Amino acid sequence: MALLRASALLALLCAAQLLPLAVALKPSSLKVDGQAVVDQLLHLATFSDHPNPAVTRILFTENDLAGRAYVKQLMAQAGLAIREDKMGNIYGTLPGADPAAAAVGTGSHCDAIPLAGAYDGTTGVIGGIAALKALRDAGFMPARPIEVVMFTSEEPTRFGLSCSGSRAMAGLLDAAYLDSRRDENGTSYLEAARAAGYGAASYEDMLQSARRTPEDLHAFVELHIEQGPLLEAEGRQIGVVTAIAAPAALRVRFSGDGGHAGAQLMPLRNDASLAAAELALFVEKAALGTGAIDTVATVGYWDISPKAVNSVPREALLEIDVRDIDGPRRDAVVASIMEEAARIAEKRRVRHSVDAINQDPPATCGADVVAAVQASTDELGYSSKRMVSRAYHDSLFMAQIAPTGMIFIPCRNGWSHRPDEFASPQDIARGVEVLALTLARLAGEGGAEPAAKTEL
Ligand code: GLV
Ligand code: MN
Ligand code: MN
């Protein structure tokens, strides 16, 4: 017992420095069944608003709730202690030798944008559970608790705001702002969460319940499909992420006066849809105009009304996504889009408003977490590539609380956010093994527990 305490203390001392500890855990003792993880991913995919292979799972809908129940079932089967906060984040914890020590975290999201695939986010949740299960089955007792999180609402589909769960954890959401983000029926986050069984008394209560601090989170690492083509094209097995690009989202509304498509003469019109069309083309020009391959901008949502072939469009609503690994350069593009929206509105005699939904800074991964991912990858004998994440992830916000890193695995043709998204069982197994070893390194070793086999 005294020996166990001493080794736990030593591990904590090393882990306090976030040193990529050499753990006694042998990579060969980690048994990960990639096909079993895929089977679970494909079962989760059946909870979808569109028929598979498409996956659509929107926050707090019936399918999202069924998906959450399945994730909790997997956590329970892996022997993890489950808790939920009032935002809807779900945590499964593998206890550490020192239960009071700040935890090492992993996880990702299970919501899916309309007509997406089965692997985005889900691989990091179900793969995270599989990593903790592999550690447990190998008899590894961490010094620190290790937790896997299913973050709530990483995708912005329902309330227009991405990463709501991790923003709340990082203390970057305030009550009034969250309340202002309504879904298309005018429902608030609080109402939707309550209807889903997450009974917060108020937004303050909800946000407070999700808040994490450096005192309770030591480090974080997320497993995710690459969502780009580089690993596959270069034949590398693991992406060691060093930074996450800065995302921004704008909602622009143009309003004209509409009218009869036959009777309203061209010089008298103020067509909101044409203002939107001009702005959409400008968005492309602005991104290309930086001359940097890392600047990307997309108009992924476009709605006009009243949507009648014989009516001049009266309203146009655009949602614009702008990203770059260089924050100031991204901000300059966002500013130019806002200025152009005002110029177009004036020229076309339409009214307009711009809602800056989010404009987040990029994240640099923690050097010691990157080193732990790299050391684990090397120890397992997998090839790797240092890379930047161009997609955003909950890790962007976890990096505001604790040193954070990401592990990427290849996905077919780099496809993501589409039904034919695919990662092979072998690549998934490799990612889960690297994750498990990285978590062991970051958590430190608290002593050996007799190997306890958990059910699949
Ligand atoms: C996440 O889904 C993103 O859009 O990067
Ligand atoms: Mn996504
Ligand atoms: Mn994702």
Side-chain angles (χ1 to χ4, degrees):
M1 193 60 190
L3 205 64
L4 192 142
R5 280 184 187 283
S7 75
L9 187 66
L10 180 68
L12 276 181
L13 285 175
C14 293
Q17 307 296 314
L18 268 177
L19 293 176
L21 285 174
V23 279
L25 179 71
K26 293 208 173 17
S28 59
S29 65
L30 285 172
K31 302 285 178 244
V32 176
D33 180 346
Q35 189 54 51
V37 176
V38 169
D39 291 346
Q40 293 166 356
L41 287 169
L42 296 182
H43 183 69
L44 180 60
T46 62
F47 305 116
S48 167
D49 298 347
H50 288 104
N52 290 162
V55 181
T56 302
R57 202 163 35 247
I58 314 291
L59 178 68
F60 297 146
T61 56
E62 206 174 303
N63 278 310
D64 183 47
L65 297 184
R68 285 165 181 269
Y70 182 55
V71 165
K72 285 186 271 186
Q73 180 192 323
L74 293 177
M75 285 178 170
Q77 285 169 353
L80 307 179
I82 301 170
R83 78 175 177 92
E84 293 178 84
D85 65 33
K86 294 174 184 172
M87 284 290 292
N89 296 304
I90 304 174
Y91 309 75
T93 304
L94 181 66
D98 179 355
V104 170
T106 186
S108 194
H109 62 99
C110 286
D111 57 336
I113 65 163
L115 301 173
Y119 299 84
D120 171 12
T122 51
T123 303
V125 177
I126 293 189
I129 297 170
L132 267 56
K133 177 180 178 302
L135 288 173
R136 198 163 181 267
D137 287 349
F140 179 77
M141 158 69 92
R144 297 176 177 280
I146 306 180
E147 62 183 25
V148 54
V149 188
M150 194 214 83
F151 291 97
T152 205
S153 183
E154 190 259 7
E155 302 289 9
T157 317
R158 180 157 183 185
F159 291 101
L161 179 68
S162 61
C163 302
S164 18
S166 50
R167 281 178 201 273
M169 286 186 198
L172 296 170
L173 259 187
D174 72 72
Y177 182 70
L178 185 54
D179 188 45
S180 73
R181 312 257 44 114
R182 298 300 173 105
D183 73 3
E184 60 187 14
N185 302 316
T187 305
S188 71
Y189 195 104
L190 186 60
E191 288 161 349
R194 279 187 185 149
Y198 292 95
S202 62
Y203 277 110
E204 286 74 14
D205 178 34
M206 173 184 263
L207 293 169
Q208 184 54 36
S209 80
R211 190 74 175 93
R212 307 299 304 273
T213 65
E215 283 68 51
D216 65 88
L217 191 71
H218 175 68
F220 184 83
V221 59
E222 177 172 357
L223 171 67
H224 207 283
I225 57 169
E226 182 198 344
Q227 303 181 289
L230 301 180
L231 291 173
E232 186 185 58
E234 296 179 22
R236 312 284 182 95
Q237 293 164 322
I238 295 290
V240 181
V241 176
T242 54
I244 305 172
L250 302 176
R251 184 177 281 163
V252 180
R253 191 182 296 276
F254 291 112
S255 310
D257 297 306
H260 193 288
Q264 180 99 22
L265 297 178
M266 298 307 277
L268 297 177
R269 295 181 181 198
N270 58 356
D271 183 328
S273 181
L274 293 179
E278 269 200 51
L279 187 63
L281 290 175
F282 178 82
V283 166
E284 182 191 36
K285 198 166 119 197
L288 291 171
T290 69
I293 194 75
D294 294 319
T295 316
V296 288
T298 309
V299 183
Y301 183 93
W302 182 311
D303 194 25
I304 59 166
S305 69
K307 288 197 191 68
V309 68
N310 53 354
S311 170
V312 177
R314 181 192 298 270
E315 295 279 343
L317 179 66
L318 299 183
E319 287 183 2
I320 304 169
D321 180 302
V322 187
R323 311 190 196 196
D324 204 318
I325 53 173
D326 180 325
R329 190 168 59 203
R330 189 275 320 266
D331 288 344
V333 171
V334 168
S336 74
I337 292 170
M338 288 180 174
E339 281 161 24
E340 186 66 10
R343 231 185 335 266
I344 293 169
E346 195 182 341
K347 186 179 79 178
R348 291 192 165 271
R349 293 172 285 106
V350 293
R351 299 166 290 283
H352 93 295
S353 64
V354 179
D355 174 14
I357 297 174
N358 63 288
Q359 202 161 342
D360 303 301
T364 304
C365 293
D368 293 327
V369 181
V370 172
V373 173
Q374 188 69 62
S376 303
T377 306
D378 296 346
E379 198 177 341
L380 284 156
Y382 298 145
S383 59
S384 64
K385 174 183 175 66
R386 298 278 174 126
M387 59 198 310
V388 158
S389 170
R390 293 172 192 283
Y392 57 68
H393 304 280
D394 293 299
S395 285
L396 191 63
F397 298 98
M398 299 316 283
Q400 305 256 355
I401 310 172
T404 291
M406 292 192 72
I407 299 164
F408 276 177
I409 56 167
C411 56
R412 185 169 61 201
N413 298 328
W415 290 337
S416 183
H417 284 187
R418 43 190 279 181
D420 48 9
E421 185 177 81
F422 174 81
S424 74
Q426 296 76 17
D427 281 323
I428 289 174
R430 281 189 274 268
V432 172
E433 287 170 20
V434 173
L435 176 63
L437 209 50
T438 303
L439 292 169
R441 279 194 151 80
L442 295 171
E445 194 161 12
E449 198 194 34
K453 216 54 204 142
T454 52
E455 355 160 10
L456 244 191

